[in-house]
Amino acid sequence: ASLNRFYFRQFFNLTYQYAPNPYEGDFVSLENNRGIPGLFCPSMRGDEKLVINLESVTFTPLRLLGFRFAFFLAADMGIIRKHSQPLTSDNLFTGLGIGVRFRNDLLVFDTFEIKLSFYPNAPQDSEPRYFDAGGVPHLRLNDFYPGEPSTLHLY
């Protein structure tokens, strides 16, 4: 969608993961990029999780020294449990973020991001990252390229 010279894009990602018989020490996690970006916590591990990541981006017509700017809002919600635990609101974790990305196509690392985050119900043993700045990797969609057939082994 667009309004004047501003463009808007919404992203939605839904992830469900279940490990029915994990090996000793194996787990699924809601930590950082596996669920709630910027939140690190050993108690956010289990064998089943459901994660919803939402992001709204506004691409602006602003240009400064070759950089273009986009502002974003993010909301990440995840629920995790161990097989023996009941599904309760104590297992639900959220992260909210606001930030800016700036891009210059003439640079080797062309997209940078600055993000402020808030975690309303972070566990006591968590290590939240409230401020984050760094480069953003290019989106590579290799799944759309056909390859030779192969055998899938399920153990």
Side-chain angles (χ1 to χ4, degrees):
S2 66
L3 177 65
N4 293 331
R5 292 178 34 215
F6 290 83
Y7 293 88
F8 306 93
R9 189 170 289 165
Q10 309 333 301
F11 295 94
F12 172 84
N13 187 40
L14 178 68
T15 304
Y16 174 76
Q17 190 174 3
Y18 176 58
N21 297 312
Y23 294 111
E24 185 68 32
D26 276 350
F27 54 84
V28 297
S29 172
L30 284 179
E31 294 181 282
N32 199 25
N33 293 329
R34 295 178 186 159
I36 312 293
L39 190 58
F40 302 88
C41 180
S43 66
M44 291 175 29
R45 297 175 182 170
D47 55 20
E48 184 176 19
K49 74 174 179 178
L50 177 66
V51 181
I52 299 172
N53 306 101
L54 306 169
E55 184 176 281
S56 292
V57 182
T58 302
F59 298 94
T60 70
L62 300 174
R63 291 185 185 271
L64 179 64
L65 301 173
F67 287 93
R68 295 177 293 159
F69 296 86
F71 297 93
F72 65 92
L73 295 170
D76 305 291
M77 297 164 276
I79 191 161
I80 191 157
R81 73 181 192 119
K82 294 184 175 129
H83 185 67
S84 59
Q85 291 178 325
L87 198 56
T88 67
S89 62
D90 294 339
N91 307 74
L92 176 67
F93 302 99
T94 57
L96 306 171
I98 185 169
V100 61
R101 291 188 186 107
F102 41 102
R103 177 182 178 101
N104 187 328
D105 292 325
L106 301 177
L107 298 177
V108 174
F109 303 105
D110 57 4
T111 305
F112 301 92
E113 176 179 284
I114 297 173
K115 182 178 179 184
L116 297 172
S117 299
F118 172 66
Y119 307 98
N121 58 348
Q124 296 288 357
D125 62 339
S126 67
E127 297 177 24
R129 186 181 311 148
Y130 297 106
F131 176 79
D132 196 16
V136 178
H138 287 285
L139 179 63
R140 304 232 191 267
L141 301 174
N142 293 333
D143 292 348
F144 294 108
Y145 297 111
E148 65 182 59
S150 63
T151 305
L152 177 64
H153 298 281
L154 299 175
Y155 297 101

